[in-house]
Amino acid sequence: MVSVEPIGNTTILGEGPHWDHKEQVLYFVDILKSTVAKYEPLTKIQTSVTVDGGPVSLVIPVEGKKDQFVITVGRNLAVMTWDGKSSKPSKVDILSTVDDEDGKQENRFNDGKADPTGRLWAGTMGPESKPAVVDKHKGSLFSFSNDGKPRTLVKDISIANGLAWSSDMKTMYYIDSLNFSVEAFDFNVQSGEISNRRVVFDFKKNHIDAFPDGMTIDTEGNLWVACFNGGQVIRVDPRSGKLLSTVKVPSPQTTSVVFGGPNLDELYITSANNSLSHEERKKYPYAGYTFRVTGVGAKGYPMTNVHLA
Ligand code: BGC
Ligand code: CA
């Protein structure tokens, strides 16, 4: 039986969940509060740290470095040193800044993830006047070398979102929320090049009235996609383009999803409570919470830390 439990504290724009399998803790961010949270399911204790300088859209531990995390701050990629307890980081070192030259100063980073080799990928989006209403085609998708230098892979993105890789590392799945689809690229793991872009799951054809947001992949090769304004995560088969099942959460702005727990068979789903009306807030008292879901009948892979030089 599927069971859904709200955890930790609420957020305005909860995002970027990362399950640290070694430590058995969940990291996630609140983009609009510029905070990084750490939640330990065993004790149910949540701690958080506030970062100065702009919205923080992702948090991923640095491989082999205790208390170091790759984060984004506005258009900057940075390494934060944090003991997991203090309300301020002990250090934030900027590694690089994207979109500097071409008048895109208002962009900010959004979703990002390390590929199975530990290479970071992250995308940007233009300024948002209200949730999912943005200046279109202002964002890009970047990958980063192990010293943090960006490389532009895709341009003209509206809201850069979900990323996932097939277990054979031959396919990269990708979401631009305003395309209302999940797309795939052929992925060259050595060179980091992507090609042959195509749609593998179409939200409109499947009558899903929501924005595709963050996603993850299970050990059967199916994708779990958070549906912003849909209050759900869907499981889709990217090979057949079919919708397989749905997990409902009591928060309409569902933003991202990862597998976690001791057996990697639980889902952690982040959500937002961004400009919801008074009525919606009353109807959804758990809007903005993160949810732990058990009994979904699928398993994920351990997530990869970022490898830096
Ligand atoms: C972004 C939000 C946006 C939402 C829409 C999220 O990933 O962080 O700013 O409103 O996607 O799908
Ligand atoms: Ca997202």
Side-chain angles (χ1 to χ4, degrees):
M1 215 197 46
V2 175
S3 144
V4 178
E5 167 204 6
I7 60 157
N9 306 329
T10 189
T11 61
I12 302 173
L13 182 49
E15 266 284 3
H18 179 96
W19 175 255
D20 186 329
H21 198 55
K22 221 163 104 197
E23 304 291 331
Q24 294 285 304
V25 296
L26 181 76
Y27 293 100
F28 59 100
V29 300
D30 185 330
I31 298 184
L32 296 180
K33 284 191 199 155
S34 304
T35 55
V36 171
K38 175 182 180 180
Y39 176 80
E40 188 179 46
L42 200 64
T43 57
K44 301 200 173 186
I45 291 174
Q46 180 174 319
T47 49
S48 70
V49 61
T50 305
V51 179
D52 292 332
V56 175
S57 73
L58 60 87
V59 53
I60 308 170
V62 178
E63 178 66 21
K65 297 275 164 91
K66 193 174 169 335
D67 296 343
Q68 291 200 14
F69 303 86
V70 165
I71 61 169
T72 55
V73 187
R75 291 180 298 119
N76 301 310
L77 180 73
V79 173
M80 167 177 82
T81 309
W82 180 45
D83 61 8
K85 297 180 203 100
S86 310
S87 59
K88 285 274 159 200
S90 42
K91 212 161 77 151
V92 176
D93 292 322
I94 308 272
L95 298 182
S96 60
T97 305
V98 296
D99 283 338
D100 247 333
E101 320 84 20
D102 28 348
K104 292 176 179 165
Q105 277 83 353
E106 290 181 302
N107 277 8
R108 69 155 166 87
F109 271 113
N110 197 45
D111 219 321
K113 205 178 263 178
D115 73 21
T117 71
R119 180 197 286 124
L120 179 71
W121 294 70
T124 51
M125 58 189 271
E128 196 175 32
S129 58
K130 55 182 193 174
V133 180
V134 293
D135 288 0
K136 286 191 184 161
H137 310 301
K138 287 261 177 111
S140 304
L141 178 68
F142 306 90
S143 70
F144 296 85
S145 56
N146 63 8
D147 57 356
K149 293 278 168 311
R151 165 180 182 189
T152 310
L153 275 302
V154 187
K155 288 190 164 181
D156 297 324
I157 288 172
S158 295
I159 304 183
N161 256 319
L163 288 159
W165 290 266
S166 62
S167 62
D168 64 6
M169 295 196 275
K170 289 190 172 149
T171 308
M172 183 177 103
Y173 297 105
Y174 177 65
I175 289 172
D176 177 342
S177 296
L178 294 194
N179 286 351
F180 297 98
S181 63
V182 180
E183 295 173 74
F185 291 90
D186 294 344
F187 178 52
N188 181 325
V189 65
Q190 271 85 34
S191 68
E193 252 140 50
I194 51 175
S195 56
N196 188 23
R197 185 176 185 173
R198 65 233 180 233
V199 171
V200 290
F201 183 80
D202 189 309
F203 265 49
K204 298 216 161 138
K205 277 192 193 141
N206 283 279
H207 310 289
I208 297 165
D209 184 17
F211 297 92
D213 204 315
M215 74 175 152
T216 190
I217 192 162
D218 68 23
T219 55
E220 289 167 15
N222 296 317
L223 299 170
W224 296 70
V225 185
C227 300
F228 190 92
N229 281 357
Q232 62 186 18
V233 165
I234 55 174
R235 168 165 42 173
V236 307
D237 184 341
R239 293 144 301 195
S240 67
K242 291 226 165 81
L243 174 63
L244 301 176
S245 62
T246 299
V247 174
K248 297 264 176 207
V249 293
S251 176
Q253 295 175 335
T254 321
T255 54
S256 192
V257 56
V258 292
F259 281 96
N263 304 312
L264 292 166
D265 59 355
E266 302 173 5
L267 294 179
Y268 282 95
I269 301 174
T270 51
S271 80
N273 184 356
N274 189 7
S275 316
L276 288 183
S277 68
H278 184 64
E279 287 70 39
E280 284 169 312
R281 274 168 216 251
K282 265 179 101 174
K283 189 168 168 201
Y284 299 105
Y286 290 113
Y289 274 78
T290 297
F291 302 92
R292 171 174 169 258
V293 184
T294 54
V296 294
K299 279 177 88 158
Y301 297 103
M303 293 180 77
T304 313
N305 291 339
V306 175
H307 292 231
L308 292 181

